[in-house]
Amino acid sequence: MNQLQQTLMLDILEKYSKKRDKIISIRPLSGGDINQAFKIETGEGFWFAKCNRADSFPAMFEAEAKGLDLLGSAAEILIPEVIGFGTHDNESMLVLEFIQPGRENADFWTNFGRNMARLHRHSSDEFGLDYDNYIGSLPQYNENRAEWIEFFIQNRLGPQIKMARDAFKIDSSDIKKFENLHPVLADFFPLEKPSLLHGDLWSGNYMSHSSGQACIMDPAVYYGHRLMDLGMTKLFGGFTNEFYTAYNDEYQLDKNWIDSIEIANIYPLMVHVNLFGGGYLGSVMRILKKFK
Ligand code: ADP
């Protein structure tokens, strides 16, 4: 962590705790794709700080802090407390409570599934959010819509398709295949009220807290169809059957939800096409082929 980042870190902590602390140690952490992450020790305890360049990702940390606060205000599942965020000379930083990892307790997956279902019962009048945020390092648009299908096409698939086309990763015949999907989307997404979503719930974005309970982090929050969060849990696996059983006991899913998840996951797969390319486009095209 450079000198500027250290000063920014102390400024953020001072604003939070109303006193200027001293840094005792700084340890870089691995695992983040986009940001530099650090474990910081001060006289007051341990903190998690992540840093990036403000001009590369404008308002990224502000959006993440607001998303965490929204999840926190629902009070259904553990999240790291937001200490503060700031920018100085193009250095941006978000400071969070440091989550001390611990062993998963016996009810870890049951509580995790139940608490996610309870989170999803928190609703809003419309799909979307009153500000845009990021999915990974890509912008995520949250313009409010009354209808989920319209929101999914315009705010989720549309911007990713445009980005892939502008980068010559897909052509007009591929775009036609996406359009073929539109008339069948309503078959896969049951009519439901908007759910408060984590938005990027893959297995890298939860930890087992020192209490042995799940703590979720690094969200891309919006009010959306809850199948989006469930889809993300299945994208790279790692969530146990107990999670889904407990989820269903708390907030039942349509009996065909597993089939719908493939459609929901076209969004994160397209995000991966735009971030990494590679084989992800093949996965998307295999799904789209079914809807000629
Ligand atoms: P990025 O936004 O760059 O993907 P993450 O927020 O995922 O970064 O953080 C990187 C890694 O740091 C995560 O994989 C996680 O293991 C760990 N981590 C994230 N937030 C905290 C926290 N508040 N306390 C402790 N460790 C954390």
Side-chain angles (χ1 to χ4, degrees):
M1 191 182 258
N2 64 36
Q3 201 53 50
L4 202 60
Q5 290 169 326
Q6 290 188 33
T7 307
L8 183 54
M9 159 91 202
L10 290 174
D11 290 347
I12 293 168
L13 280 179
E14 185 176 6
K15 224 163 136 187
Y16 172 76
S17 67
K18 311 277 180 286
K19 63 172 191 268
R20 191 125 191 124
D21 212 346
K22 276 204 179 66
I23 294 174
I24 296 172
S25 68
I26 302 174
R27 199 158 62 80
L29 297 170
S30 59
D33 297 329
I34 310 148
N35 307 300
Q36 282 180 288
F38 302 92
K39 179 180 182 179
I40 314 284
E41 184 183 3
T42 70
E44 295 288 301
F46 292 95
W47 315 100
F48 176 83
K50 52 185 187 179
C51 318
N52 66 30
R53 311 287 293 171
D55 59 1
S56 307
F57 305 109
M60 175 183 264
F61 290 149
E62 183 182 349
E64 184 169 340
K66 280 157 83 176
L68 283 168
D69 283 341
L70 185 56
L71 294 176
S73 65
E76 301 293 2
I77 187 156
L78 290 174
I79 49 131
E81 185 193 354
V82 176
I83 309 302
F85 58 87
T87 301
H88 189 69
D89 269 3
N90 208 26
E91 293 287 354
S92 266
M93 182 178 291
L94 174 66
V95 182
L96 305 175
E97 165 194 2
F98 185 83
I99 302 298
Q100 197 61 51
R103 271 234 329 251
E104 293 176 8
N105 66 21
D107 301 327
F108 178 90
W109 286 105
T110 301
N111 287 335
F112 192 1
R114 188 200 59 213
N115 293 345
M116 281 310 299
R118 289 183 177 169
L119 179 73
H120 287 169
R121 285 208 184 271
H122 289 253
S123 193
S124 177
D125 292 341
E126 291 193 301
F127 296 95
L129 198 64
D130 52 9
Y131 55 93
D132 293 334
N133 47 20
Y134 286 82
I135 177 81
S137 58
L138 300 183
Q140 174 165 275
Y141 304 100
N142 296 319
E143 218 175 286
N144 286 302
R145 290 282 183 276
E147 303 290 333
W148 166 252
I149 303 296
E150 197 186 333
F151 181 88
F152 185 64
I153 293 171
Q154 292 181 1
N155 285 288
R156 291 292 172 268
L157 296 186
Q160 294 301 325
I161 292 169
K162 182 177 183 312
M163 197 179 289
R165 187 197 58 202
D166 291 349
F168 303 103
K169 289 179 173 172
I170 58 172
D171 59 24
S172 53
S173 74
D174 298 321
I175 292 174
K176 183 83 190 66
K177 291 177 191 143
F178 282 101
E179 286 164 4
N180 291 341
L181 191 66
H182 294 177
V184 299
L185 282 174
D187 301 340
F188 291 97
F189 290 108
L191 268 184
E192 285 187 3
K193 5 179 240 196
S195 286
L196 179 56
L197 303 183
H198 174 280
D200 193 6
L201 194 63
W202 71 288
S203 52
N205 281 342
Y206 74 82
M207 282 174 65
S208 177
H209 183 264
S210 53
S211 65
Q213 299 283 330
C215 176
I216 55 176
M217 49 199 41
D218 209 10
V221 170
Y222 62 104
Y223 288 94
H225 202 293
R226 59 198 175 113
L227 287 171
M228 299 303 286
D229 265 359
L230 288 152
M232 289 292 259
T233 66
K234 293 269 183 192
L235 193 60
F236 303 116
F239 290 67
T240 68
N241 287 337
E242 288 137 286
F243 174 90
Y244 301 101
T245 304
Y247 184 99
N248 254 298
D249 288 346
E250 185 69 29
Y251 188 3
Q252 204 176 1
L253 289 159
D254 183 81
K255 62 180 187 331
N256 298 323
W257 70 277
I258 285 284
D259 298 332
S260 302
I261 268 173
E262 192 174 51
I263 305 300
N265 278 345
I266 294 176
Y267 172 58
L269 284 170
M270 281 305 292
V271 169
H272 279 75
V273 167
N274 283 312
L275 285 174
F276 312 114
Y280 293 106
L281 187 59
S283 306
V284 174
M285 290 303 153
R286 266 193 297 283
I287 301 169
L288 294 180
K289 227 159 99 184
K290 301 178 187 172
F291 305 98
K292 280 206 277 261

